[in-house]
Amino acid sequence: MDTKIININKENIDEELIMEASSLIKDGKLVAFPTETVYGLGANGLDESAVKGIFNAKGRPQDNPLILHIYNVEQLIPLVKDVSDIALECIKKFWPGPLTMLFKKSNIVPDIITAGLDTVAIRMPNNPIALELIRKSNTPIAAPSANLSGKPSPTSANHVIQDLDGKIDMIIDGGITGVGLESTVLDLSGDVPLILRPGGVTIEDLKEFIPNITQDKGTIIESADITPKSPGQKYRHYAPKAEMIVFDGEIEDIVEGITNRTNELINKGLRVGIMATEETKNNYTLGTVLIVGSRENKESIAANLFNTIRLFDDKNVDIILAEGIESDNIGMAIMNRMMKASGGKIIKV
Ligand code: TXA
Ligand code: MG
């Protein structure tokens, strides 16, 4: 299949190009588009066979449900059984934005979207291209991250091209995404409000509205004893080709631990990649050092994390030693992705 790549400037949207993309969506085709978190692989969310195409193109397991993307609150109502007061407050505060919420699904949501669950995940992305595409398509758009299953989520159109060129109908290049990590997934359907995946909206942000909010244990520790509540969290994710180990602790200890381990591994003849930060980069004299961002500005680390993991693939290192980040605010989502990328290999130093 030929994948058409088009450029759209989010500050000045070309309506004709959006029309072209939306007519593909209406025809049951696959269009990758930017959101404020990561690129999504979109299809008409109410068209079962179009949605099947998403699973095929990504190689995604069928038991992993998808998020429906909407452009306004009216579009939410037919998709769900009800909207609780807390959900309504979160909508007012955080939509459009990187918060996905679970609702009891209505009958018009196909089972393939929810993988047979009775809840449906919905979000309103904060990107004008995404919103305009949904509006013109006149349907909720199902969209997982636009990567091959298991790879880091795409934060640029180039990442989408690397993974899906030839497998989908169109890629809208709308520049680099902002947040860089996927949306927070919030489950309000049980007794206790639960974060199933930490993301751009932090637990600190949510606590103001939902004081009793908690976080699913599977998002913090990788362990065979814990089955994450969100089906997607159980798979190995964001994985670089190389093995990855995360060092977590005080910054001096992290630097010392990584330096010692680098020496050992290089002596064994291995090519070592180090994922460092602005504040620590000058401490490393060996290995391939890439700077993921600044500890003073954790948003910069979130924005660059997936791109940095992909860059290590290009550099053909055998092993990546990554600095852990303090897990407050967006740091929680960063550490969750590092845990997944490393398959839970976190060394406390
Ligand atoms: O930022 C994002 O959320 C991006 C952009 C494209 O919007 N999308 C995204 O989709 O990350 P995906 O499919 O890669 O991740 C969706 C996550 C998965 O972990 C999935 O298991 C979970 O949401 N999920 C979806 N529906 C669910 C449901 N009904 N119950 C529990 N978890 C659900
Ligand atoms: Mg994904």
Side-chain angles (χ1 to χ4, degrees), residues 123-136:
R123 91 175 189 98
M124 191 189 291
N126 189 14
N127 175 297
I129 299 172
L131 290 172
E132 194 56 10
L133 177 67
I134 304 164
R135 192 172 76 84
K136 283 273 161 52

Side-chain angles (χ1 to χ4, degrees), residues 37 40 60 64-65 67 69 119 121 123 144-145 182-183 197 230 232:
T37 58
R60 181 180 176 105
N64 193 2
I67 298 172
H69 295 66
T119 53
R123 91 175 189 98
S145 47
E182 307 84 347
S183 61
R197 177 176 74 180
S230 190

Side-chain angles (χ1 to χ4, degrees), residues 251 255 274-286 289-293 295 323:
I251 188 59
V255 170
I274 299 176
M275 197 190 295
T277 47
E278 284 296 343
E279 290 79 6
T280 57
K281 61 181 180 195
N282 294 328
N283 292 290
Y284 303 112
T285 51
L286 296 172
V289 180
L290 293 180
I291 298 150
V292 65
R295 291 175 172 276
E323 292 181 1

Side-chain angles (χ1 to χ4, degrees), residues 77-211:
I77 306 307
L79 303 173
V80 303
K81 287 223 166 110
D82 63 283
V83 181
S84 69
D85 290 344
I86 299 181
L88 209 54
E89 275 191 59
C90 289
I91 288 171
K92 279 194 203 135
K93 174 72 188 173
F94 299 108
W95 279 7
L99 178 69
T100 296
M101 281 187 283
L102 302 190
F103 299 87
K104 291 270 181 249
K105 84 179 209 50
S106 76
N107 291 335
I108 70 164
V109 177
D111 283 338
I112 187 168
I113 293 286
T114 61
L117 299 171
D118 64 352
T119 53
V120 57
I122 301 188
R123 91 175 189 98
M124 191 189 291
N126 189 14
N127 175 297
I129 299 172
L131 290 172
E132 194 56 10
L133 177 67
I134 304 164
R135 192 172 76 84
K136 283 273 161 52
S137 302
N138 200 24
T139 181
I141 293 188
S145 47
N147 50 285
L148 286 175
S149 217
K151 297 266 244 146
S153 295
T155 54
S156 74
N158 267 337
H159 297 160
V160 183
I161 294 169
Q162 280 172 15
D163 281 13
L164 296 175
D165 193 22
K167 297 191 159 126
I168 62 178
D169 298 280
M170 180 181 270
I171 298 171
I172 301 178
D173 184 345
I176 309 261
T177 58
V179 179
L181 303 177
E182 307 84 347
S183 61
T184 305
V185 178
L186 174 62
D187 183 359
L188 295 170
S189 69
D191 296 339
V192 189
L194 200 58
I195 294 179
L196 303 185
R197 177 176 74 180
V201 172
T202 66
I203 192 163
E204 289 88 346
D205 296 331
L206 289 164
K207 266 208 171 115
E208 275 185 48
F209 298 85
I210 317 172

